[in-house]
């Protein structure tokens, strides 16, 4: 079984076009993609979690 692709936080921020500060504000409100905290304290986002988050934003305005 292949391991899921894990993106570093700067990669996520680049892909969604958002600053770190704005991302953390969104995360505090529970509206950001799910992150995983590694034992060394670094944050990662599974590709599948980011894709699910993107798909969840696809609602009519």
């Amino acid at each position: 079984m292949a391991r899921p692709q894990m993106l570093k936080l700067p990669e996520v921020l680049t892909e969604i076009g958002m600053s770190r500060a704005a991302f953390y504000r969104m995360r505090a409100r529970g509206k950001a993609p799910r992150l995983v905290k590694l034992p060394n304290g670094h944050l990662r986002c599974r590709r599948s979690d980011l894709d699910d988050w993107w798909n969840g934003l696809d609602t009519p305005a």
Side-chain angles (χ1 to χ4, degrees):
M1 184 168 155
R3 286 206 267 158
Q5 181 184 6
M6 302 292 278
L7 303 171
K8 295 177 182 178
L9 187 55
E11 295 170 324
V12 173
L13 297 175
T14 299
E15 186 167 330
I16 65 177
M18 186 175 286
S19 71
R20 185 179 295 263
F23 181 84
Y24 276 111
R25 284 192 302 270
M26 190 170 62
R27 187 173 181 228
R29 293 190 309 265
K31 302 293 184 184
R34 183 170 179 255
L35 297 178
V36 176
K37 189 171 188 176
L38 301 178
N40 63 4
H42 294 187
L43 296 173
R44 297 288 187 270
C45 182
R46 288 182 185 94
R47 165 53 65 190
S48 59
D49 289 339
L50 183 59
D51 290 343
D52 290 345
W53 178 80
W54 272 122
N55 292 331
L57 295 178
D58 194 20
T59 58

